[in-house]
Amino acid sequence: MDPHIQRELDKLDDAVPFRASTGHRHHTWARTFHSRPDLYLRPRSAAEIQKIITLARRCRQRLTLVGCGHSPSDLTCTSSWMINLDDYSRLLSVDKQTNVVVMESGIRLHALGEQLKKHGLAMPNLGSIDSQAIAGAIATATHGSSLQHGLLSASVLALKIMLANGRTVLCTADQNPELFRAALVSLGALGIITEITFQAVPSFDIEWTQTLRPLDWVLSSWENDLWTQAEFVRVWWLPYTKRAVVWSADKTTKPLRPPKSSWYGGKFGYHTYHILLYAAQYVPRLLPAIEWFVFGMQYGFSNHIPTSAVEEGRKGLLMNCLYSQFVNEWALPLENGPEAITRLAAWFDGDQEISRIPVSSRGVYVHAPIEVRVTDTSKTSPRPYLDNTNPSGPTLYLNATLYRPYNADPPCHERYYEAFEYLMKELGARPHWAKNFRTVTDDDMASMYKEKLRHWTRVRNESDPEGMFVGDWHRRYLLSEHEKRTPLEEKIVARKRDSGGGWLLEMDRAREVTSRAGSEESFDLMHGAETEASTLLTTGGGGDGGRSETEGSMQRSWAE
């Protein structure tokens, strides 16, 4: 460890462990981005998290949290200090009368599901995977596919957040409501969520059915019962065969019945598909034939033949992501779906008149499927400031997935995503925070979110005035490139191709000069007033009257 950091560490309570290692190499699950943090930290208690924050503040370091790294963007990359909360993952309490549970924020969704099952409970909905930590899933607006459910964060009743001054603040819809709305989609930029109070539901099983349908059938059923035929519905669009897999599920009390074996879920199919995708890197025109063969083997070559199973909800709602991939998902009003699909399908066919997308599709061949999912957050209250869904009705998500066979970028991705994002912007869509959007700027985000982004930014700046939790990703998309950078935030200064695929990023930490103080400890004390200012006063009633968990702190309220 750096001797300078060791000296500051020696000034802190040695009874509280500082679990740090060097030499860690971080990469996203898809190996799209890599970075080398100076320190990799695995705290096991709130006291250890507080010690990390205190030391980072004194040593002028940025902090970044990471779970499974499933977001394929560079959001979690850092050259400073990286925190993983896998060892801070206990289920703290279960109220069997109300089904309200309290947990430490590092628990992975699959582990949470297992723990809840022991108490006869479950999460009400899930996205496509359950490998994320719950804090990360909430922070990026993770969702499932159901018009009866909204974002996963809709079930969050309270959060405890440790701010850059090391103090923990409780926030709910009534106490510190602005911080609560900002933290429900925080993108890791406000502080460290340490504890989550969550409304669980009785555990349930689902019976699901999936059927291969012509795309025309999907579009003609769009405004009838396509999305209301069951509690959970999703569609996988196969663009070259002009078909789609329609998957629907309802809760059931029937005996469990496992699904039939999956072709690409088995070793032979999995590796055959992977090799075919790699071959298409060099001969892209193979992709339509690959789509026909692979999805015929997986779902059948004939339309309207259903398959079904009965599974636990916590398992049946998931899907196999298969290989490294780019994912570019946008949320738009559900009623705009038929136009979006029709125009994108015309673009694949080279029909400029119908597509009206000013990007050539000549020579572009894409991967299947394009994922189509829905939510309805129109009744969610309070809404996260950075909720990307339609506030006045149901939301459609279109996800243009591109596989990266053996970690190689597909040749079509730049032009495909340029065209896709042009169409999405024109139809009033907003990108999913955890995905690979390419043509979006901070000005675009300001236009998409307007005063909501201004509210979120103000809360963020008051929570973390020095930018301890701000990285290059936040600056590019949320904080104006034209404004002065905060003292601790990082900026990408170098990127190079990594031997394992993707980009290796190097960050620069613009630390303040601290020579005017005898040490970082005295620097910390000099700036006490500024850090104290981010401790919040609750605006509603409740147990401790809203005091932060560390006594003696100054308190304040955010204006409504």
PDB file of all heavy atoms in Angstrom, residues 340-354:
ATOM      1  N   ALA A 340     -42.237   1.799 -34.035  1.00  0.00           N
ATOM      2  CA  ALA A 340     -40.804   1.548 -33.845  1.00  0.00           C
ATOM      3  C   ALA A 340     -40.387   0.244 -34.514  1.00  0.00           C
ATOM      4  O   ALA A 340     -39.365   0.197 -35.231  1.00  0.00           O
ATOM      5  CB  ALA A 340     -40.480   1.511 -32.357  1.00  0.00           C
ATOM      6  N   ILE A 341     -41.150  -0.820 -34.306  1.00  0.00           N
ATOM      7  CA  ILE A 341     -40.798  -2.120 -34.881  1.00  0.00           C
ATOM      8  C   ILE A 341     -40.937  -2.098 -36.401  1.00  0.00           C
ATOM      9  O   ILE A 341     -40.079  -2.622 -37.123  1.00  0.00           O
ATOM     10  CB  ILE A 341     -41.664  -3.213 -34.248  1.00  0.00           C
ATOM     11  CG1 ILE A 341     -41.275  -3.387 -32.772  1.00  0.00           C
ATOM     12  CG2 ILE A 341     -41.522  -4.536 -34.999  1.00  0.00           C
ATOM     13  CD1 ILE A 341     -42.177  -4.326 -31.998  1.00  0.00           C
ATOM     14  N   THR A 342     -41.991  -1.480 -36.907  1.00  0.00           N
ATOM     15  CA  THR A 342     -42.212  -1.430 -38.355  1.00  0.00           C
ATOM     16  C   THR A 342     -41.096  -0.655 -39.047  1.00  0.00           C
ATOM     17  O   THR A 342     -40.571  -1.083 -40.092  1.00  0.00           O
ATOM     18  CB  THR A 342     -43.574  -0.775 -38.656  1.00  0.00           C
ATOM     19  OG1 THR A 342     -44.616  -1.573 -38.069  1.00  0.00           O
ATOM     20  CG2 THR A 342     -43.805  -0.673 -40.150  1.00  0.00           C
ATOM     21  N   ARG A 343     -40.720   0.474 -38.475  1.00  0.00           N
ATOM     22  CA  ARG A 343     -39.670   1.286 -39.106  1.00  0.00           C
ATOM     23  C   ARG A 343     -38.298   0.621 -39.001  1.00  0.00           C
ATOM     24  O   ARG A 343     -37.501   0.678 -39.943  1.00  0.00           O
ATOM     25  CB  ARG A 343     -39.654   2.679 -38.484  1.00  0.00           C
ATOM     26  CG  ARG A 343     -40.882   3.518 -38.860  1.00  0.00           C
ATOM     27  CD  ARG A 343     -40.891   4.863 -38.167  1.00  0.00           C
ATOM     28  NE  ARG A 343     -39.739   5.672 -38.528  1.00  0.00           N
ATOM     29  CZ  ARG A 343     -39.474   6.866 -37.979  1.00  0.00           C
ATOM     30  NH1 ARG A 343     -40.287   7.365 -37.050  1.00  0.00           N
ATOM     31  NH2 ARG A 343     -38.413   7.548 -38.356  1.00  0.00           N
ATOM     32  N   LEU A 344     -38.017  -0.020 -37.869  1.00  0.00           N
ATOM     33  CA  LEU A 344     -36.730  -0.696 -37.734  1.00  0.00           C
ATOM     34  C   LEU A 344     -36.667  -1.907 -38.661  1.00  0.00           C
ATOM     35  O   LEU A 344     -35.628  -2.168 -39.295  1.00  0.00           O
ATOM     36  CB  LEU A 344     -36.504  -1.116 -36.285  1.00  0.00           C
ATOM     37  CG  LEU A 344     -35.110  -1.634 -35.941  1.00  0.00           C
ATOM     38  CD1 LEU A 344     -34.030  -0.608 -36.266  1.00  0.00           C
ATOM     39  CD2 LEU A 344     -35.032  -2.028 -34.463  1.00  0.00           C
ATOM     40  N   ALA A 345     -37.770  -2.625 -38.785  1.00  0.00           N
ATOM     41  CA  ALA A 345     -37.815  -3.758 -39.721  1.00  0.00           C
ATOM     42  C   ALA A 345     -37.584  -3.287 -41.154  1.00  0.00           C
ATOM     43  O   ALA A 345     -36.871  -3.947 -41.934  1.00  0.00           O
ATOM     44  CB  ALA A 345     -39.153  -4.475 -39.604  1.00  0.00           C
ATOM     45  N   ALA A 346     -38.173  -2.147 -41.522  1.00  0.00           N
ATOM     46  CA  ALA A 346     -37.953  -1.595 -42.867  1.00  0.00           C
ATOM     47  C   ALA A 346     -36.498  -1.201 -43.062  1.00  0.00           C
ATOM     48  O   ALA A 346     -35.934  -1.369 -44.157  1.00  0.00           O
ATOM     49  CB  ALA A 346     -38.874  -0.386 -43.076  1.00  0.00           C
ATOM     50  N   TRP A 347     -35.857  -0.700 -42.012  1.00  0.00           N
ATOM     51  CA  TRP A 347     -34.430  -0.336 -42.117  1.00  0.00           C
ATOM     52  C   TRP A 347     -33.587  -1.580 -42.374  1.00  0.00           C
ATOM     53  O   TRP A 347     -32.676  -1.543 -43.210  1.00  0.00           O
ATOM     54  CB  TRP A 347     -33.984   0.368 -40.835  1.00  0.00           C
ATOM     55  CG  TRP A 347     -32.589   0.915 -40.925  1.00  0.00           C
ATOM     56  CD1 TRP A 347     -32.184   2.059 -41.564  1.00  0.00           C
ATOM     57  CD2 TRP A 347     -31.400   0.333 -40.369  1.00  0.00           C
ATOM     58  NE1 TRP A 347     -30.826   2.221 -41.439  1.00  0.00           N
ATOM     59  CE2 TRP A 347     -30.322   1.174 -40.709  1.00  0.00           C
ATOM     60  CE3 TRP A 347     -31.156  -0.817 -39.622  1.00  0.00           C
ATOM     61  CZ2 TRP A 347     -29.020   0.908 -40.318  1.00  0.00           C
ATOM     62  CZ3 TRP A 347     -29.848  -1.093 -39.238  1.00  0.00           C
ATOM     63  CH2 TRP A 347     -28.800  -0.236 -39.584  1.00  0.00           C
ATOM     64  N   PHE A 348     -33.887  -2.681 -41.699  1.00  0.00           N
ATOM     65  CA  PHE A 348     -33.161  -3.926 -41.967  1.00  0.00           C
ATOM     66  C   PHE A 348     -33.323  -4.343 -43.426  1.00  0.00           C
ATOM     67  O   PHE A 348     -32.387  -4.879 -44.034  1.00  0.00           O
ATOM     68  CB  PHE A 348     -33.677  -5.053 -41.065  1.00  0.00           C
ATOM     69  CG  PHE A 348     -33.389  -4.874 -39.609  1.00  0.00           C
ATOM     70  CD1 PHE A 348     -34.332  -5.236 -38.645  1.00  0.00           C
ATOM     71  CD2 PHE A 348     -32.180  -4.366 -39.174  1.00  0.00           C
ATOM     72  CE1 PHE A 348     -34.075  -5.090 -37.294  1.00  0.00           C
ATOM     73  CE2 PHE A 348     -31.911  -4.206 -37.815  1.00  0.00           C
ATOM     74  CZ  PHE A 348     -32.862  -4.565 -36.878  1.00  0.00           C
ATOM     75  N   ASP A 349     -34.502  -4.083 -43.979  1.00  0.00           N
ATOM     76  CA  ASP A 349     -34.788  -4.480 -45.365  1.00  0.00           C
ATOM     77  C   ASP A 349     -34.290  -3.455 -46.384  1.00  0.00           C
ATOM     78  O   ASP A 349     -34.475  -3.659 -47.596  1.00  0.00           O
ATOM     79  CB  ASP A 349     -36.299  -4.664 -45.552  1.00  0.00           C
ATOM     80  CG  ASP A 349     -36.837  -5.871 -44.792  1.00  0.00           C
ATOM     81  OD1 ASP A 349     -36.018  -6.759 -44.471  1.00  0.00           O
ATOM     82  OD2 ASP A 349     -38.050  -5.913 -44.517  1.00  0.00           O
ATOM     83  N   GLY A 350     -33.693  -2.370 -45.914  1.00  0.00           N
ATOM     84  CA  GLY A 350     -33.199  -1.342 -46.831  1.00  0.00           C
ATOM     85  C   GLY A 350     -34.292  -0.453 -47.399  1.00  0.00           C
ATOM     86  O   GLY A 350     -34.072   0.213 -48.420  1.00  0.00           O
ATOM     87  N   ASP A 351     -35.453  -0.395 -46.746  1.00  0.00           N
ATOM     88  CA  ASP A 351     -36.571   0.420 -47.227  1.00  0.00           C
ATOM     89  C   ASP A 351     -36.519   1.786 -46.552  1.00  0.00           C
ATOM     90  O   ASP A 351     -37.084   2.003 -45.479  1.00  0.00           O
ATOM     91  CB  ASP A 351     -37.892  -0.281 -46.908  1.00  0.00           C
ATOM     92  CG  ASP A 351     -39.087   0.387 -47.568  1.00  0.00           C
ATOM     93  OD1 ASP A 351     -39.020   1.602 -47.843  1.00  0.00           O
ATOM     94  OD2 ASP A 351     -40.094  -0.310 -47.796  1.00  0.00           O
ATOM     95  N   GLN A 352     -35.847   2.733 -47.185  1.00  0.00           N
ATOM     96  CA  GLN A 352     -35.662   4.066 -46.629  1.00  0.00           C
ATOM     97  C   GLN A 352     -36.985   4.824 -46.528  1.00  0.00           C
ATOM     98  O   GLN A 352     -37.201   5.610 -45.597  1.00  0.00           O
ATOM     99  CB  GLN A 352     -34.674   4.855 -47.499  1.00  0.00           C
ATOM    100  CG  GLN A 352     -34.466   6.303 -47.096  1.00  0.00           C
ATOM    101  CD  GLN A 352     -33.740   6.435 -45.766  1.00  0.00           C
ATOM    102  OE1 GLN A 352     -32.914   5.588 -45.426  1.00  0.00           O
ATOM    103  NE2 GLN A 352     -34.042   7.489 -45.028  1.00  0.00           N
ATOM    104  N   GLU A 353     -37.892   4.576 -47.462  1.00  0.00           N
ATOM    105  CA  GLU A 353     -39.159   5.308 -47.477  1.00  0.00           C
ATOM    106  C   GLU A 353     -39.983   5.029 -46.222  1.00  0.00           C
ATOM    107  O   GLU A 353     -40.582   5.944 -45.645  1.00  0.00           O
ATOM    108  CB  GLU A 353     -39.966   4.918 -48.719  1.00  0.00           C
ATOM    109  CG  GLU A 353     -41.281   5.682 -48.850  1.00  0.00           C
ATOM    110  CD  GLU A 353     -42.026   5.323 -50.116  1.00  0.00           C
ATOM    111  OE1 GLU A 353     -41.489   4.538 -50.937  1.00  0.00           O
ATOM    112  OE2 GLU A 353     -43.159   5.820 -50.279  1.00  0.00           O
ATOM    113  N   ILE A 354     -40.018   3.780 -45.776  1.00  0.00           N
ATOM    114  CA  ILE A 354     -40.785   3.442 -44.580  1.00  0.00           C
ATOM    115  C   ILE A 354     -39.978   3.712 -43.305  1.00  0.00           C
ATOM    116  O   ILE A 354     -40.511   4.220 -42.310  1.00  0.00           O
ATOM    117  CB  ILE A 354     -41.234   1.972 -44.628  1.00  0.00           C
ATOM    118  CG1 ILE A 354     -42.249   1.765 -45.758  1.00  0.00           C
ATOM    119  CG2 ILE A 354     -41.841   1.552 -43.295  1.00  0.00           C
ATOM    120  CD1 ILE A 354     -42.709   0.340 -45.910  1.00  0.00           C
TER     121      ILE A 354
END
